[in-house]
Amino acid sequence: MAAVLGNQVDAAASGVNEVKQNLADGKLKVLAIFHSERHPELPDVPTAKEQGLDLEIGGWGGIYAPKGLPADVKAKLEESIKAATEQQSYRDVITSSGNLVVYRSSQEFTEFAESEAKRFADLIGQ
């Protein structure tokens, strides 16, 4: 962000919170959202896909456990995590940081993480 504001680079990819503070004074223009849908805090900014670029990239994280976790423990953790993501207090913390709340089951998240790892390895040629 500092390089963009200092005119050292023409563009950069960044999170919503990093750019929000610089939008009001007109120092930045957000060109695209790299998500499947427009961001609720920047509803007038089109997605990359809306502009003809089939690109979706975003920050994401998850909760991890050791391989071989007993099925009953895994089920209890997954149930607890899902319940937590449905709590308004959790949603408020996540959205106040400029992020979107996306819940995936253990299987869905594993498939997603593996897919992202392959996609980025392909992008950087590994």
Side-chain angles (χ1 to χ4, degrees), residues 62-84:
I63 297 174
Y64 304 86
K67 192 172 190 171
L69 196 66
D72 62 327
V73 174
K74 180 179 174 182
K76 183 67 175 172
L77 280 171
E78 189 166 348
E79 177 184 311
S80 298
I81 292 164
K82 184 174 192 298

Side-chain angles (χ1 to χ4, degrees), residues 2-104:
V4 171
L5 293 171
N7 293 319
Q8 297 164 330
V9 297
D10 293 327
S14 187
V16 171
N17 270 2
E18 289 88 3
V19 300
K20 277 191 332 186
Q21 60 195 350
N22 294 297
L23 287 175
D25 59 13
K27 291 182 179 181
L28 289 177
K29 177 178 180 172
V30 181
L31 303 175
I33 298 294
F34 294 137
H35 192 269
S36 60
E37 299 174 11
R38 291 185 181 207
H39 196 285
E41 292 193 47
L42 301 170
D44 296 330
V45 178
T47 66
K49 192 164 194 164
E50 287 177 301
Q51 298 179 70
L53 181 61
D54 191 9
L55 178 64
E56 190 175 326
I57 296 177
W60 54 269
I63 297 174
Y64 304 86
K67 192 172 190 171
L69 196 66
D72 62 327
V73 174
K74 180 179 174 182
K76 183 67 175 172
L77 280 171
E78 189 166 348
E79 177 184 311
S80 298
I81 292 164
K82 184 174 192 298
T85 64
E86 294 169 352
Q87 296 295 314
Q88 191 60 47
S89 57
Y90 171 83
R91 299 176 92 66
D92 290 346
V93 167
I94 296 301
T95 57
S96 71
S97 63
N99 295 302
L100 303 173
V101 177
V102 177
Y103 171 79
R104 290 183 173 96

